[in-house]
Amino acid sequence: MSAPTDPSPGSRDRAPGPRRSTVRSGVDEGGTPPPPRRRLALVGRLGLVVVLLLAVVATVVVVSQRNQFGRQDAGAEEIPALEVAPAPVQLGTVAQPDALAPPTSLVPGGAPSQAPGGGAHTVSGWATDIASRVDVPARALQAYGQADLAVKQEQPDCNLSWVTVAGLARIESNHGRYRGASIAENGDVTPRVIGVPLDGTGGNRTIGDTDGGVLDGDTALDRAVGPLQFIPSTWAKWRSDGNGDGVADPNNIFDAALAAGRYLCAGGRDLATGPGWRAAVLSYNNSDEYGRRVYAAADSYASASQA
């Protein structure tokens, strides 16, 4: 017996069933137009291509932002800079926001006031009083207040306010709280906040090692360090002792805040003017988007401090 030629063996023995329509276009037997299969398939392919392209673009943006704002080992939701939306302002037209100033109780050498129990008449008391309103650790606020007062004594024409230092610290490390870090009583931030290798990617400059890896642990390239994210070579120029312990350490928030204040005021800048404030902040990171994020944080602290 020869093999059946019917593609469905045994089908010749089946009873005839209802006739199926062989119409591929127009109207079928039920009167309903069939779906345009080829068109749907094409649309589906195009949709898939669009989704893939969007995914690639999103990945590139996230990676770029991770590099730009100092981290590669964190998701976008963990990067402090990306948690603050840029303020809808034109830099150069807005000056440093007005805020509740710390009391003038700077002790010799720039050390933070440690008066028992604090009180609003001391910097530590002022910091404690407004910490919950501005959502910044009191120890960090104390460091910013001390920097404000110290720089005002050294360079009164700069008109530095603590809110600008606080705005920078929010963007750079969330006030030393990045990934669960904390601030000790003396201002040390642990674990240390170390940035990405400055290898020229993600909008960063290429900066070869300048400190032998002493500050950043990298003997090939420099990395930004500490709650204010100082590049080792910049720290070498602006190093400061903000807590009066005889040591200048970029991983100490008192030291870093004072150094940042002095750095912002370099070149005779006046932060009470729009151009002066823009030049100061963009000297930290030459990006208008970065500057608008710093302004958004600084402005929110200024408003909350006066509430």
Side-chain angles (χ1 to χ4, degrees):
M1 184 175 177
S2 63
T5 58
D6 192 294
S8 300
S11 62
R12 291 180 181 179
D13 298 328
R14 295 193 189 110
R19 180 178 179 274
R20 297 182 180 180
S21 171
T22 59
V23 178
R24 295 185 181 275
S25 63
V27 180
D28 65 12
E29 292 178 346
T32 303
R37 295 179 181 175
R38 291 182 181 176
R39 185 180 304 171
L40 288 174
L42 178 60
V43 170
R45 292 192 192 100
L46 288 175
L48 180 59
V49 170
V50 170
V51 169
L52 290 174
L53 286 174
L54 289 175
V56 170
V57 170
T59 300
V60 170
V61 169
V62 168
V63 170
S64 175
Q65 288 180 323
R66 285 180 186 176
N67 287 337
Q68 179 184 2
F69 294 114
R71 304 304 308 182
Q72 288 176 324
D73 59 342
E77 72 282 356
E78 291 184 283
I79 300 175
L82 302 184
E83 297 170 345
V84 179
V89 297
Q90 182 178 349
L91 295 185
T93 66
V94 290
Q96 181 176 242
D98 292 327
L100 180 67
T104 55
S105 62
L106 189 67
V107 299
S113 171
Q114 300 292 342
H121 62 286
T122 67
V123 177
S124 58
W126 164 85
T128 299
D129 286 347
I130 69 170
S132 61
R133 298 207 301 269
V134 300
D135 189 25
V136 175
R139 191 69 63 188
L141 281 174
Q142 187 179 348
Y144 309 151
Q146 289 294 149
D148 176 316
L149 297 176
V151 174
K152 275 189 171 69
Q153 286 188 352
E154 298 170 358
Q155 303 179 66
D157 292 340
C158 175
N159 294 301
L160 174 72
S161 168
W162 63 272
V163 294
T164 295
V165 180
L168 287 170
R170 174 65 181 91
I171 299 305
E172 296 295 346
S173 71
N174 192 15
H175 310 293
R177 294 181 292 189
Y178 176 73
R179 296 197 112 180
S182 60
I183 307 172
E185 185 175 352
N186 73 338
D188 286 347
V189 174
T190 53
R192 295 182 173 186
V193 181
I194 307 295
V196 298
L198 297 176
D199 58 5
T201 63
N204 292 317
R205 291 179 295 157
T206 299
I207 303 179
D209 175 58
T210 62
D211 68 331
V214 171
L215 295 177
D216 56 16
D218 192 329
T219 57
L221 296 164
D222 267 353
R223 299 172 180 240
V225 297
L228 270 300
Q229 289 288 278
F230 273 96
I231 297 170
S233 57
T234 305
W235 181 255
K237 180 177 181 180
W238 296 98
R239 55 187 294 131
S240 302
D241 176 13
N243 63 356
D245 65 355
V247 178
D249 182 358
N251 299 291
N252 181 284
I253 201 160
F254 288 105
D255 297 353
L258 181 56
R262 290 169 170 167
Y263 177 76
L264 290 167
C265 289
R269 299 185 186 112
D270 181 358
L271 275 62
T273 69
W277 192 87
R278 179 181 185 275
V281 172
L282 265 59
S283 70
Y284 231 85
N285 186 331
N286 192 23
S287 160
D288 272 9
E289 180 188 349
Y290 177 88
R292 288 194 295 271
R293 291 180 192 270
V294 172
Y295 186 87
D299 191 48
S300 70
Y301 297 146
S303 298
S305 73
Q306 302 176 83

